Amino acid sequence: MDRAPGRRELASLLKMEDFSSVYAEADRVRKVNVSDVVYIRSILEFSNHCRRQCRYCGLNCTNRKAKRFRMKPEEIVSTARQAWDAGYKTVVLQSGEDPFYTPQLLGEIVREIKKTGIKITLSCGEMSFEDYSYLKECGADRYLLKQETADPEIYRALHPDSQLEERISCLKNLKKLGYETGSGFMIGLPGQSLETIAADILLIYEIGCDMAGIGPFIPHPDTPLKNSPHGSTELTKRAVALTRILMPEINLPATTALGVLDAEEKNSVFSCGANVVMRKVTPDAYKKLYEIYPADLGETDIYKERRELEEMIHRLGRIPV
Ligand code: 5AD
């Protein structure tokens, strides 16, 4: 695209009867700009304590049914080392917004893990400019903080304790500090329209995100949104494809949520623009408890899963890295 399209234009593209030509274009843009490589990243979910009330998320602090856990710093470090030994070059350290892990403690963990040479992505929520800056000094390379929705009213309704403006300001701070910055959003949130999705894609473009995780909303039974329908996988793929075309070099993961709704969709999203996949390396005992949305999770064998994933990527005619 020579110029950024408008919101209306994107919304009408999303609505098209036959999307196959757009998918083909997204696949072409992906191949030309980011090649056939699929980046494999590991994700380690180290705490499910959260001070936030996000109404779609099973970890929100009002969910009394969630059994909470925190991994000890040594345990986080040793699991990240195993991921490195299994061949992962990147680990995403993700948690709820858990004040137990102060920036100082997180910084120590980052420094320790960094000794292996692995790249570190943090995904621990909103923090001040100073704290993000400190963690960057400690060696964090990337940060994931999804906008969740670009509509200020929907944002407000889903996050009683925060505002979209704060999110955007955090994302801009992360960019300013030189983090590779990841955002993203959910498809199928209550109140969302095609125009909202268009605005979501444009917000990622305006911020200049290096990565965008786009996944369908999946209702969690112990949240206020338990009766809302899940998001459309087709619409998710369409949003991924348009994001690829608009931002040719961006990293686009095949989100776990897409695979939860339909494993086939998760693979087919690789022909719609996606070029990244994440694998959990969270120890089994904790993995089950990190229930953002319901998912049927198998046992973790870091080494075996890594091999299987590489085989799957080869079968798609792509190159695992
Ligand atoms: N369905 C799908 N995705 C969800 N997330 C949180 N709750 C849900 C849900 N119910 C996503 C959010 C968050 C990421 C860690 O998981 O986008 O940023």
Side-chain angles (χ1 to χ4, degrees), residues 43 54-59 94-95 123 144-148 167 184-187 189 213 215-220 223 225 257 290-294:
I43 173 161
C54 312
R55 293 167 67 85
Y56 45 81
C57 181
L59 306 186
Q94 191 178 78
S95 67
S123 180
L144 292 187
L145 183 74
K146 296 198 191 180
Q147 75 217 27
E148 315 295 3
R167 259 291 132 135
F185 56 92
M186 278 174 278
I187 299 286
L189 291 172
F217 158 71
I218 301 173
H220 186 294
T223 62
L225 296 192
Y290 199 85
E291 201 185 60
I292 294 176
Y293 46 80

